[in-house]
């Protein structure tokens, strides 16, 4: 079992490749579709995601895709199970297994991610359906007086429980403690909170006997809050993020796969590239982007079958840019706007 976990984790951070997060919950995909005035029906979700999964050439830059429960069980419009569509291209199917961030009792607006009940049975079923890795996202908010240790520790404990159960079922757990970028805080505050969150998360993983060689960490980058007047530039973000992780992420972890968290597509590529340009680190530095891979494709698609080629081209472009960022080779010249 542990050999398979290590091999899957390594394959997900193979050179030049990263992960597409396409596991939006029913509520989140509805929000995305609302933004392009498309109704969130099962057929529309199938058509949109099927378009991404069947994009020619994306597999050169995409090692795995995180799916939502519905999608793991779904087939393309011409009847091919999505698991097969992905496997046939050498893309590893993954599955979101958490049940969302819920209000943390006794806390002042903080959240805890739920979904541990019945998790072992669900993970076993997901393995049988073809998933080989899993995702669980915890949310940490920065504001006056928060995050509390209570919130960080409760989420860290649940992340470790999830990680251990996933590994028992043969799924590589992606451990995602996301420190949100919303707020007026500066990059130093983000660095402090991210450091504390990761320290406590790794303590919980270690205490619960999680095999570190068989996980991937999916964190936020160290950024200035969205409403901070003094925004850290690309180089500062890269230096703070790498410094933070070198202090708290054990070298046994094969890869760090960042979330994009609301950064623009281009900044998400630039930040990752700047980090990789700093030279080799103990772990691979890669991506597991949702919005930063999908946003231009979603817009180009707009629910119209005639727009599929343009949408696929937009997705492939972002996949290529982030693939280049894996080796520090992304530059703004790669963007179409640079050619105008
Ligand atoms: P974003 O890259 O849009 O943050 O999504 C990644 C993800 O999977 C969040 O859980």
């Amino acid at each position: 079992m542990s050999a398979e976990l290590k091999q899957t984790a390594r394959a997900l951070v193979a050179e030049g490749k990263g992960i597409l997060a396409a596991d939006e919950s029913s509520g989140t995909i509805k929000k995305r579709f609302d933004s392009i005035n498309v109704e969130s029906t099962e057929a529309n979700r199938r058509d949109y995601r099927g378009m991404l999964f069947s994009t020619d050439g994306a597999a050169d830059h995409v090692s795995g895709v995180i799916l939502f429960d519905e999608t793991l069980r779904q087939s393309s419009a011409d009847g091919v199970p999505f698991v097969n569509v992905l496997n046939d291209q050498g893309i590893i199917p993954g599955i979101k297994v958490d049940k969302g961030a819920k209000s943390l009792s006794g806390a002042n607006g903080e959240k805890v991610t739920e979904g541990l009940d019945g998790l072992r049975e669900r993970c076993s079923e997901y393995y049988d359906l073809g998933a080989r890795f899993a995702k669980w996202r915890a949310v940490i908010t920065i504001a006056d007086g928060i995050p509390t240790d209570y919130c960080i520790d409760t989420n860290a404990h649940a992340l470790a429980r999830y990680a251990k159960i996933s590994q028992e079922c043969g799924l590589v757990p992606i451990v995602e403690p996301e420190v949100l970028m919303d707020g007026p805080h500066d990059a130093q505050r983000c660095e402090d909170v991210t450091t504390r969150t990761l320290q406590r998360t790794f303590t919980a993983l270690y205490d619960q006997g999680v095999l570190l060689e068989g996980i991937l960490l999916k964190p936020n980058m160290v950024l200035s809050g969205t409403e901070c007047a003094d925004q850290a530039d690309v180089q500062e973000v890269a230096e703070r993020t790498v410094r933070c992780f070198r202090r708290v992420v054990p070298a046994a972890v094969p890869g760090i796969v960042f979330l994009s968290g609301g950064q623009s597509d281009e900044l998400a590529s630039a930040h990752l590239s700047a980090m990789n340009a700093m030279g080799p680190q103990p772990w691979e530095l890669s991506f597991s982007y949702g919005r930063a891979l999908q946003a231009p494709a979603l817009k180009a698609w707009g629910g119209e079958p005639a727009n599929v080629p343009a949408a696929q081209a937009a997705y492939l472009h972002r996949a290529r840019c982030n693939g280049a960022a894996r080796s520090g080779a992304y530059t703004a010249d790669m963007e179409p706007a640079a050619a105008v």
Side-chain angles (χ1 to χ4, degrees):
M1 180 71 85
S2 67
E4 184 189 356
L5 292 171
K6 289 181 198 170
Q7 197 203 341
T8 303
R10 285 257 152 231
L12 286 167
V13 291
E15 200 180 329
K17 294 187 188 183
I19 296 169
L20 165 67
D23 60 323
E24 298 84 4
S25 60
S26 313
T28 305
I29 195 71
K30 179 177 179 316
K31 246 194 273 170
R32 304 274 184 268
F33 278 15
D34 283 349
S35 76
I36 53 166
N37 289 316
V38 170
E39 197 187 342
S40 183
T41 61
E42 203 222 317
N44 285 341
R45 293 191 293 271
R46 175 200 66 200
D47 290 348
Y48 171 66
R49 288 167 167 154
M51 169 190 87
L52 298 176
F53 304 161
S54 61
T55 297
D56 259 351
D60 292 344
H61 317 286
V62 174
S63 55
V65 177
I66 317 174
L67 306 170
F68 190 56
D69 181 278
E70 171 186 88
T71 325
L72 184 68
R73 303 170 193 277
Q74 214 169 22
S75 296
S76 66
D78 40 12
V80 185
F82 280 142
V83 169
N84 298 0
V85 170
L86 296 171
N87 279 330
D88 288 350
Q89 302 170 77
I91 298 177
I92 305 171
I95 179 76
K96 171 201 190 74
V97 300
D98 69 67
K99 297 275 191 181
K102 306 286 161 63
S103 173
L104 175 63
S105 46
N108 189 13
E110 293 184 283
K111 305 230 153 147
V112 63
T113 299
E114 298 190 347
L116 289 170
D117 288 353
L119 182 60
R120 180 174 283 101
E121 292 71 22
R122 287 194 292 126
C123 284
S124 296
E125 189 198 4
Y126 288 144
Y127 186 95
D128 291 343
L129 288 169
R132 289 296 175 269
F133 69 103
K135 178 187 116 172
W136 177 291
R137 172 175 177 255
V139 180
I140 307 292
T141 305
I142 300 180
D144 279 350
I146 63 171
T148 58
D149 288 344
Y150 167 43
C151 172
I152 293 175
D153 285 342
T154 310
N155 276 296
H157 187 266
L159 276 166
R161 292 269 296 127
Y162 138 78
K164 188 68 183 168
I165 291 168
S166 300
Q167 289 188 336
E168 275 179 15
C169 299
L171 303 176
V172 167
I174 294 191
V175 173
E176 180 177 4
E178 174 176 4
V179 177
L180 296 175
M181 63 197 277
D182 311 71
H185 58 272
D186 62 11
Q188 183 60 49
R189 175 109 163 95
C190 179
E191 184 171 341
D192 294 343
V193 171
T194 303
T195 302
R196 185 153 56 105
T197 300
L198 292 175
Q199 263 174 354
R200 288 173 181 261
T201 300
F202 277 100
T203 299
L205 293 171
Y206 187 79
D207 286 349
Q208 296 189 39
V210 173
L211 178 76
L212 295 181
E213 290 83 355
I215 71 164
L216 294 174
L217 177 70
K218 176 163 175 170
N220 53 286
M221 297 177 192
V222 175
L223 305 167
S224 316
T226 40
E227 294 139 45
C228 175
D230 182 21
Q231 290 285 314
D233 65 14
V234 170
Q235 193 56 30
E236 183 181 347
V237 167
E239 284 170 15
R240 283 184 181 277
T241 305
V242 168
R243 174 173 67 196
C244 169
F245 291 113
R246 288 184 67 90
R247 287 176 174 161
V248 289
V249 182
V253 174
I256 296 175
V257 294
F258 291 99
L259 57 93
S260 59
Q263 299 177 53
S264 73
D265 321 322
E266 297 182 16
L267 264 182
S269 300
H271 286 147
L272 180 63
S273 197
M275 281 186 250
N276 278 309
M278 288 169 68
Q281 303 296 339
W283 358 255
E284 297 294 324
L285 288 175
S286 185
F287 58 91
S288 173
Y289 292 161
R291 283 161 285 181
L293 274 170
Q294 294 186 48
L298 181 73
K299 215 168 140 206
W301 177 61
E304 294 297 331
N307 295 337
V308 164
Q312 289 185 324
Y315 167 56
L316 181 60
H317 175 66
R318 291 271 42 101
R320 245 191 219 130
C321 289
N322 290 308
R326 289 281 279 106
S327 59
Y330 167 82
T331 63
D333 299 343
M334 290 180 74
E335 303 297 348
V340 180

